[in-house]
Amino acid sequence: MKLTAVVFLLTGLLYSTLIPWDLTLVLLITRTSLVSDKSGYFLAFWFGLLNSYLLNQPLGLLSFSYILIVFLITQIKRSTLSLNWLNVLLLSLVLTILHQILKIVTNHASIDFKEVLAQNLIVLPLYFLVLVWAERFVVKRAFRLKL
Amino acid sequence: MKTLLTQSKLSIILTVVSLLILLLDNLGLFKLPKALMQNVTLPIQYGLYKSGHTLLSQFSFVFEARFAYQQNIALKKQLADLLSENSNLRRRLSESQGAIDQQNSLSPRTFNLLPARPVGFGRYLILERGSLDGLREGEVVVFKDNYIGKIKNVTPKSSQVMLLQDPDSKVAVFSQGKGTKAKGILSGQFGSELLMDKILHSENISEGDVVYSEGSEGLLPRGLVIGRVSKVESRENELFQQARVKPALDIPDLDIVFVILN
């Protein structure tokens, strides 16, 4: 969890300084698609606050957007739709556009399709990276069979 | 199910908290904490920004090299175009200046002048104007008030000018200096000097006198400058005096000449 927090912190800093793409959002989408726990909401809330502060946007705005996205993904996971890499890509496209629309409404700016395209291009590599990470390096709690 | 409810409750709580924070931020309650935190985060952001750009600039040659070759070719072509345009503009400026000087020398009210550009120089001076431009054989070619020659051959698009230096050229001239005046016939000799012949012994001519056209034949106006007397050859046992005349103009230096139309 600590490593995850550091990675999210780094993506937030990179977003506000060097890279014009919301890596936090993309990472959140891929992580939530693969890992089902409450920590996704906390990550969305705190790092949404951090990104809002670093980007000089109204505090709470990005938190709200990220929490909404995490909630939607969690609900879709509970449905019969399986979240394989193709579905994650499509879902990511929809959610990044939704995120852009929210930014337009609040910032009175126009949709940056280049940002949407760039973010969706890195979804797949990140998805597989998080997948490998979650399966190979994250220690799962041992479970006992009730006999 | 329990997990589901917990997660939904959590998402609602966090959403409400986010919206509350948004509202409070819009009211300006977080200005001071944000200002204090910026003392910490701004240096970090600045450091990351500068480091990133420094790192990227190390690899910029990788991207620029790809375009350097094409840019080089484009710049070379642009340079060649500019040199050509410059040369063209200089020539046109020279022609325009020549035209202005010509108007100041020979009044356009008296003479109908057609500008023509020399395009070749050998025995004859070749002009890029011909019969289609209204040129005829025998018409006089001048530059300012200097006589250059006479049109010998005309084609539709070009014409040949017989120069003063041509051995076939014979022009009636007179010389004038301080208290001296003489008449003669100027004939060409291959070389840089002309020979003024048939000068009577009774007429005075000396070195430095200016030689002008007589204007007694064909279309040649009177008073056009031919050159200066460089040497006088006078022998008592000969019927006439002779004088060497140095032409006033160096023909290859001319970018434009003018034809006096009939």
Side-chain angles (χ1 to χ4, degrees), chain B residues 91-115:
Chain B
R91 184 176 49 77
R92 285 166 75 175
L93 179 67
S94 163
E95 285 173 12
S96 301
Q97 192 59 50
I100 292 166
D101 291 342
Q102 185 63 55
Q103 280 192 1
N104 292 335
S105 305
L106 294 176
S107 170
R109 287 184 193 175
T110 314
F111 299 101
N112 191 10
L113 297 167
L114 178 73

Side-chain angles (χ1 to χ4, degrees), chain A residues 13-14 16-18 37-38 41-42 45 49 53-54 56-61 63-64 67 71 74 78, chain B residues 4 6-8 10-11 14-15 17-19 21-22 25-26 30 34 37-38 41 44-45 48-49 52-53:
Chain A
L13 284 169
L14 285 172
S16 66
T17 53
L18 289 170
D37 59 4
K38 292 186 293 187
Y41 290 104
F42 289 112
F45 176 72
L49 272 181
Y53 162 72
L54 289 173
N56 287 329
Q57 287 183 6
L59 284 180
L61 179 68
S63 299
F64 172 69
I67 289 168
F71 178 74
T74 315
R78 292 204 177 102
Chain B
L4 178 71
T6 316
Q7 283 197 2
S8 296
L10 181 64
S11 68
L14 288 175
T15 306
V17 171
S18 300
L19 290 171
I21 292 171
L22 183 64
D25 190 40
N26 278 335
F30 288 117
K34 273 162 111 174
M37 273 186 71
Q38 274 177 347
T41 56
I44 297 171
Q45 281 180 287
L48 201 61
Y49 176 76
H53 274 274

Side-chain angles (χ1 to χ4, degrees), chain A residues 11-24:
Chain A
T11 55
L13 284 169
L14 285 172
Y15 183 29
S16 66
T17 53
L18 289 170
I19 302 169
W21 313 317
D22 196 345
L23 296 174
T24 311

Side-chain angles (χ1 to χ4, degrees), chain A residues 3 12-13 15 28 35 38 43 48 53 68 70 75 91 107-109 114 124 133 136:
Chain A
L3 185 64
L13 284 169
Y15 183 29
L28 210 53
V35 181
K38 292 186 293 187
L43 287 169
Y53 162 72
L68 185 67
V70 170
Q75 297 309 307
L91 189 67
N107 287 350
H108 305 286
K114 275 195 284 186
L124 274 184
W133 175 261
R136 300 282 178 233

